[in-house]
Amino acid sequence: MTRLVLAADFGGTHLRAAIVDERGEVLFREDHPTPPQASPGEAVQLVVDLLARTVEASGAAPAAACIATAGLINANEGKVIFAPNIAGFRNVVLTTPVAQRLGIPAYIENDASAAALGEYRFGAGRGTRHLLHATLGTGIGGGIVIDGRLYRGAQGLAGEIGHIIIDPAGPRCTCGSRGCLEALVSGVAFAARARKLLEQGKSAVLKELVGYAEPTAVHLFEAAKRGDRTCEAEIRNGGHILGLGLGSLVNVLNPDAVTLSGGLLAMGEMLLGPMREAMGSMAYGPASGALVRIGELGENTGLLGAAAVAFERLEGD
Ligand SMILES: [Zn+2]
């Protein structure tokens, strides 16, 4: 009989839980909106209740549970150091209450690290041994698989590829540094560039699209698709910078493949073309053979990532 795990994806808008088998099939799934005003104590209770209810409703007997969530996670201690989705969620151990309630081992993982292991096991990273995964969304996250195992580092914080510094004189990043990859190319960074273009009166198309709304990366891309050269140049430049960041990491890690997921992939070749070009131009020797692949897990990336982590933990060190 195939082994089952309980996987949870604690996102900014949704709290999802599912029963997943060893082939990455989602057998049962529950979906709840993330409560915007929950206190840390209430949030823990909510997660524990949802997971318990999922197990009960599915009638399954999972061997372990894993929660994937954004933020700084000390995976080795099961601790959320900081989570952007829940105000005041600092230094909270989430795994102990889950393990106590369900009576099975419980784990937690940064969502981008989990996504890397998910793509490695169930998606576009199958067949590789060494994998670099990048999540390209509101921010930039990453995960590293070495020799078929998730690389966590000393404190379980490894993979924060959004905070390598590309331009020390660049814009301020949410982490406090300047010119991080995430501060230059991400949903937030593209929105900031769109705002700048509007302030400078540089794009009539963008101005018409945005109207009185807050400019977003989607507006920037839409204007570029409508032929606005300035907006297109911003996205192409973002792709180039992304390529420099990922290319640097490829030279450090020499992975078999680089897999990508996240909302910015909707920008397609306008972003990915210059990215590949920059990666190729700086690849050191045969490192240029690292293939760039689009992730295959889609909206299940978080859930299947969490499931992959649970299976890896069950298999032991
Ligand atoms: Zn940063």
Side-chain angles (χ1 to χ4, degrees):
M1 216 180 95
T2 178
R3 213 157 33 162
L4 304 175
V5 294
L6 174 61
D9 176 16
F10 201 164
T13 57
H14 281 83
L15 177 51
R16 302 187 169 104
I19 302 290
V20 180
D21 75 9
E22 277 170 305
R23 292 171 308 159
E25 295 291 331
V26 175
L27 305 179
F28 182 89
R29 176 177 157 148
E30 293 225 332
D31 215 322
H32 291 267
T34 304
Q37 301 298 341
S39 71
E42 287 165 348
V44 170
Q45 200 50 48
L46 193 97
V47 173
V48 171
D49 286 346
L50 173 67
L51 295 188
R53 217 167 41 238
T54 303
V55 172
E56 218 175 78
S58 68
C66 180
I67 300 158
T69 187
L72 272 181
I73 308 297
N74 185 330
N76 299 335
E77 291 179 10
K79 193 192 278 181
V80 178
I81 299 169
F82 165 73
N85 297 332
I86 318 146
F89 218 53
R90 280 169 197 273
N91 295 311
V92 178
V93 175
L94 195 50
T95 49
T96 310
V98 172
Q100 278 170 354
R101 176 81 168 268
L102 299 178
I104 53 176
Y107 308 101
I108 188 165
E109 195 64 66
N110 168 273
D111 56 356
S113 289
L117 201 60
E119 290 292 349
Y120 169 78
R121 286 211 164 206
F122 305 129
R126 273 173 302 179
T128 65
R129 260 177 73 205
H130 314 296
L131 180 71
L132 171 65
H133 181 77
T135 58
L136 314 175
T138 311
I140 301 287
I144 300 159
V145 174
I146 296 177
D147 266 323
R149 305 210 37 111
L150 185 60
Y151 177 73
R152 293 189 174 85
Q155 274 89 32
L157 303 177
E160 289 292 342
I161 68 171
H163 302 285
I164 55 173
I165 291 175
I166 302 278
D167 176 7
R172 184 73 71 185
C173 181
T174 51
C175 73
S177 298
R178 275 190 184 281
C180 292
L181 185 60
E182 176 173 300
L184 293 167
V185 48
S186 63
V188 168
F190 279 134
R193 294 305 302 163
R195 202 173 306 122
K196 196 99 184 168
L197 292 181
L198 290 177
E199 281 167 15
Q200 296 169 341
K202 281 192 178 162
S203 169
V205 182
L206 186 64
K207 187 163 182 248
E208 195 194 318
L209 278 168
V210 173
Y212 293 101
E214 265 298 301
T216 65
V218 176
H219 289 129
L220 188 72
F221 181 50
E222 191 55 40
K225 274 199 298 188
R226 292 190 188 182
D228 187 294
R229 292 288 175 83
T230 311
C231 294
E232 182 178 343
E234 287 289 349
I235 292 172
R236 297 191 68 84
N237 184 48
H240 177 75
I241 291 166
L242 186 60
L244 295 182
L246 294 181
S248 303
L249 292 164
V250 163
N251 284 345
V252 172
L253 297 168
N254 187 205
D256 297 304
V258 179
T259 51
L260 306 173
S261 64
L264 288 190
L265 291 179
M267 291 180 170
E269 280 307 300
M270 201 183 288
L271 183 77
L272 301 181
M275 182 203 79
R276 278 198 204 91
E277 216 166 283
M279 284 176 78
S281 73
M282 64 181 294
Y284 190 72
S288 61
L291 299 170
V292 175
R293 300 180 187 167
I294 303 300
E296 291 173 1
L297 306 183
E299 64 150 8
N300 280 336
T301 300
L303 280 177
L304 291 179
V309 171
F311 283 120
E312 185 185 88
R313 293 284 195 178
L314 281 173
E315 286 154 15
D317 296 315

